[in-house]
């Protein structure tokens, strides 16, 4: 069965520090991968998605970047964090071929607090 | 851009009652999905309804879709305390099916 991991679970970082959040998927090949951010009490904002190694689509201009160095690894990074980067970051995957379902499967999330 | 919107934003009912949440969207879709999120956790897929379907059931869940009104509803029957969570609708657009567009969610509280 497929499993998605995210770490760390919680992170407190000072403004201006770098960031690296990691997401890995097990039990599947060639997944689509997604990074979302969720502000407190709000919906999900899609940040990046990837349909293959090295292929990254950015949804909103921001202080963050994403990379996919391996098929089942998706990394969210920042060189210098801003206060506004605080939030709950969720990684998700779905099969490349969905048969029209497009259901996504989410990781447990990383709560980031920038102080 | 398309934006799913749920209403109400928050709903509080007694255990055993039915809970109804609504979702509206703006553009043509392939399908509409509902997800659940327990506090501080990731989202879990509940049910998917295709654009050519009008109603779908799964256990205590009933979803309807009205593409002419660009709206959907999620009904949870005989609610339980464990149903307390946030519920989000998400749409897969005809153009750009690689992505889902999520609404802002309905916070459901079931009082014992």
């Amino acid at each position: 069965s497929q499993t998605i991991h995210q770490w760390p679970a919680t992170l407190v970082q000072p403004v201006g520090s770098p960031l690296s959040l990691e997401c890995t998927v097990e039990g599947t090949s060639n997944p689509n991968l997604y990074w979302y951010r969720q502000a407190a009490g709000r919906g999900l904002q899609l940040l990046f998605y990837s349909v293959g190694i090295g292929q990254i689509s950015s949804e909103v201009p921001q202080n963050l970047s994403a990379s996919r160095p391996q098929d089942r690894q998706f990394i969210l990074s920042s060189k210098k964090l801003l206060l506004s980067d605080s939030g709950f970051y969720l990684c998700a995957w779905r099969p490349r071929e969905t048969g029209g379902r497009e259901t996504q499967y989410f990781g447990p999330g990383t709560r980031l607090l920038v102080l | 851009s398309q934006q799913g919107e749920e209403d109400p934003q928050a709903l509080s009912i007694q255990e055993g009652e039915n809970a109804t949440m609504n979702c509206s969207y703006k553009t043509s879709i392939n399908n509409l999905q509902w997800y659940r999120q327990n506090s501080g956790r990731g989202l879990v897929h509940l049910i998917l309804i295709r654009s050519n379907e009008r109603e779908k059931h799964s256990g205590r869940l009933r979803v309807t879709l009205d593409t002419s009104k660009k709206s959907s509803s999620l009904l949870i029957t005989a609610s339980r305390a464990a149903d307390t969570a946030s519920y989000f609708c998400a749409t897969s657009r005809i153009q750009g099916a690689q992505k889902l567009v999520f609404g802002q969610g309905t916070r459901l509280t079931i009082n014992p």
Side-chain angles (χ1 to χ4, degrees):
Chain A
S1 63
Q2 300 86 7
T3 309
I4 179 168
H5 302 278
Q6 280 187 251
W7 65 91
T10 305
L11 190 59
V12 181
Q13 291 284 99
V15 170
S17 63
L19 174 73
S20 180
L21 301 182
E22 188 161 346
C23 171
T24 59
V25 182
E26 296 177 356
T28 187
S29 297
N30 303 316
N32 282 9
L33 296 171
Y34 303 84
W35 276 114
Y36 293 90
R37 176 168 58 202
Q38 185 179 31
R42 303 298 301 278
L44 276 67
Q45 179 187 34
L46 179 62
L47 301 176
F48 302 95
Y49 71 95
S50 171
V51 300
I53 295 175
Q55 300 179 62
I56 309 295
S57 296
S58 175
E59 289 296 294
V60 293
Q62 59 204 320
N63 184 42
L64 302 169
S65 62
S67 61
R68 183 171 178 173
Q70 301 181 43
D71 180 47
R72 289 170 288 180
Q73 183 185 31
F74 205 22
I75 297 172
L76 184 69
S77 304
S78 174
K79 293 183 179 178
K80 289 185 178 182
L81 283 168
L82 307 172
L83 288 174
S84 57
D85 291 324
S86 294
F88 191 49
Y89 288 83
L90 288 159
C91 181
W93 75 274
R94 54 151 258 216
R96 181 69 51 80
E97 300 301 326
T98 66
R101 288 189 59 82
E102 291 108 31
T103 297
Q104 294 185 11
Y105 302 92
F106 285 80
T110 294
R111 187 162 304 282
L112 172 66
L113 179 59
V114 182
L115 299 175
Chain B
S1 62
Q2 180 181 17
Q3 180 76 40
E5 296 183 1
E6 286 95 335
D7 86 274
Q9 292 187 339
L11 179 62
S12 181
I13 61 174
Q14 294 300 120
E15 195 168 20
E17 295 180 340
N18 296 341
T20 300
M21 290 160 273
N22 302 296
C23 168
S24 61
Y25 58 92
K26 296 180 180 176
T27 64
S28 297
I29 61 172
N30 290 319
N31 60 65
L32 185 144
Q33 304 175 40
W34 285 89
Y35 288 78
R36 164 193 169 128
Q37 183 182 34
N38 285 14
S39 182
R41 308 292 297 274
L43 277 71
V44 176
H45 178 257
L46 293 176
I47 193 167
L48 178 152
I49 186 166
R50 300 184 191 279
S51 60
N52 61 354
E53 298 176 312
R54 293 297 167 257
E55 187 171 312
K56 201 161 185 181
H57 297 255
S58 176
R60 292 184 297 113
L61 304 180
R62 172 178 171 255
V63 171
T64 62
L65 179 64
D66 186 334
T67 53
S68 66
K69 295 181 179 179
K70 292 186 169 56
S71 67
S72 172
S73 67
L74 171 67
L75 169 67
I76 303 174
T77 60
S79 64
R80 305 167 182 169
D83 294 328
T84 294
S86 292
Y87 292 82
F88 296 90
C89 68
T91 51
S92 169
R93 297 177 297 183
I94 291 176
Q95 298 297 325
Q98 303 287 354
K99 304 179 288 188
L100 293 178
V101 178
F102 284 84
Q104 295 301 303
T106 293
R107 175 68 189 169
L108 176 64
T109 302
I110 308 299
N111 302 302

